[in-house]
Amino acid sequence: MAKKLYRGALTTIILALLKERGELYGYEIVQEVKKRTEGEWAITEGALYPALHKLEGVGHVTVTYREYKNRTRKYYRLTEQGRAEEANLQAEMESFLQSMHALLNPKWT
Amino acid sequence: MAKKLYRGALTTIILALLKERGELYGYEIVQEVKKRTEGEWAITEGALYPALHKLEGVGHVTVTYREYKNRTRKYYRLTEQGRAEEANLQAEMESFLQSMHALLNPKWT
DNA sequence: TGACAATGTCTAAGTAATTTAGGTATATTT
DNA sequence: AAATATACCTAAATTACTTAGACATTGTCA
């Protein structure tokens, strides 16, 4: 059974993958997440595509269309802004992990 | 500036604190989170109280009213079910951390 | 003493990320 | 031939949360 992906983490994941890989198309992101988490997470397309469109809308990614076996792939790539945002979200995620650690493993009572 | 608390984490936090402390009242939870995360997280009461009521509704916590200086405190305590749920959410959080790690620090490309 | 902050509870409207449940079309596998 | 995989999409419903209040008592400080 697929585990919970906390709300707000999806964009962080997308941007992190794009930063690492340079360029990915939507369906590829779904497969990549599934593979890397060994099936723990299944990103739904109903969440992914609107998230990608929003990222495009705010200028964090750009799109290139490429044909492959009669199907169109939309490749996404980080803009400069997107690269900055990726750093922000990465920092936020680390802060989250730290705070979570402080809460669940307290040093002082 | 207060950082993001990913959606879905609030209940995990509440149950974890109750497990550790045995008994807490709502306002105390707000203070405790603020203290432990050194101000990083500010749980809003508009989120906390409904969450507590929901936990009570599904039988994960019980309530005891206590008076203190003319003000009523509602103390929450885990039920057996709540204790089980706490373990589930804790496991889910750990799974999240692992998956997040796998995504952001991949071993294989 | 008068005002403002802190303590302590609550709710209701609005927001936004997600789930659910579809749709369309081609390629590949069984 | 039918089902699955690939590849994109959207719209309605859900839901956890934010915002913005309400109410009452106690503590603090000018």
Side-chain angles (χ1 to χ4, degrees), chain B residues 41-54:
Chain B
W41 286 346
I43 291 186
T44 61
E45 300 175 351
L48 177 68
Y49 289 113
L52 288 171
H53 300 160
K54 191 178 175 190

Side-chain angles (χ1 to χ4, degrees), chain A residues 20-39:
Chain A
E20 184 199 327
R21 298 282 290 267
E23 184 172 79
L24 289 163
Y25 58 96
Y27 192 79
E28 200 178 6
I29 293 175
V30 173
Q31 304 308 316
E32 189 65 21
V33 169
K34 202 180 293 177
K35 192 207 289 179
R36 291 211 196 177
T37 63
E38 286 162 9

